[in-house]
Amino acid sequence: MEVPQFQASLQFRRFLASQSPCFKDIEHCKIAAPKSSDERVPSLNVKKLLRRTLKLASGVRIQDVVEGEGPEAHEGDSVEINYVCRRSNGYFVHSTVDQFSGESAPVILPLDDTQIIEGLKEVLIGMKPGGKRRALIPPSLGYINENLKPVPEDFGPRRSLMSHVKEPLIFEVQLLKVL
């Protein structure tokens, strides 16, 4: 009996190609279906990947990418995070991780109403260390004044961010520690 073949999705092929040079020629990747119900597909030991999206009452949309482990972040805690901030059209604004070297410069933020943008606070509350989330933050919960964190230190990214305060922002956040 012939085993049916399934064409690997384009997104999956791109993911594999980005992970290792041995997956570069994966354009014709085929995955064999199990021959019987007793034959199991081996699992990988990776953190649980999630893709559920949640829309909060405030208008913030959150997508859990990776679930973390350990104590959750609560209002009043301080957290250490890495993040990438983009405008709603996808243009890059700022990141704590250098895209070329991979070096990171995490920031420590207090989860209170006076120092951090409200939308990012809502994203971080409930996260566990090691977790990753992607969020769309509406302008009303973004940089409503220039003193709210996180703000890039360099003039160019700070100017870009402040000149687009009336646009939604996309944050990709990784929680490193709850302090």
Side-chain angles (χ1 to χ4, degrees):
M1 182 172 131
E2 190 172 314
V3 176
Q5 300 286 319
F6 299 101
Q7 188 70 28
S9 72
L10 180 62
Q11 184 178 14
F12 180 69
R13 285 182 269 153
R14 285 183 181 152
F15 168 76
L16 289 177
S18 69
Q19 298 302 310
S20 171
C22 66
F23 292 117
K24 292 293 184 202
D25 186 26
I26 196 137
E27 199 58 38
H28 299 89
C29 176
K30 303 264 187 212
I31 301 171
K35 294 177 184 165
S36 70
S37 60
D38 295 336
E39 194 175 311
R40 303 213 184 268
V41 178
S43 64
L44 299 174
N45 288 330
V46 295
K47 288 189 177 186
K48 185 176 180 181
L49 292 177
L50 305 170
R51 293 290 182 202
R52 62 187 167 146
T53 303
L54 176 67
K55 183 175 180 183
L56 303 178
S58 63
V60 174
R61 292 178 186 259
I62 298 173
Q63 182 182 40
D64 282 316
V65 179
V66 176
E67 187 175 306
E69 298 174 356
E72 288 185 356
H74 299 288
E75 190 165 353
D77 290 340
S78 290
V79 293
E80 184 176 355
I81 64 167
N82 276 325
Y83 70 91
V84 176
C85 177
R86 298 180 187 277
R87 291 176 32 209
S88 60
N89 62 5
Y91 286 140
F92 176 83
V93 176
H94 186 255
S95 176
T96 58
V97 180
D98 185 275
Q99 65 181 349
F100 300 110
S101 68
E103 293 179 19
S104 68
V107 295
I108 296 175
L109 300 172
L111 296 180
D112 64 18
D113 293 331
T114 61
Q115 296 183 41
I116 186 173
I117 62 174
E118 180 68 25
L120 188 57
K121 181 181 95 171
E122 290 182 16
V123 171
L124 291 167
I125 290 176
M127 282 186 75
K128 297 178 181 179
K132 294 181 183 180
R133 284 185 175 168
R134 185 174 297 124
L136 179 67
I137 299 174
S140 60
L141 299 175
Y143 289 95
I144 55 175
N145 76 48
E146 293 183 18
N147 298 326
L148 296 176
K149 294 179 182 178
V151 176
E153 292 180 15
D154 298 334
F155 175 75
R158 186 174 46 234
R159 180 175 176 227
S160 174
L161 189 63
M162 293 305 161
S163 64
H164 298 285
V165 295
K166 296 189 187 293
E167 290 182 27
L169 295 173
I170 298 171
F171 272 89
E172 296 172 13
V173 181
Q174 178 184 21
L175 179 62
L176 302 174
K177 293 180 193 172
V178 177
L179 306 171

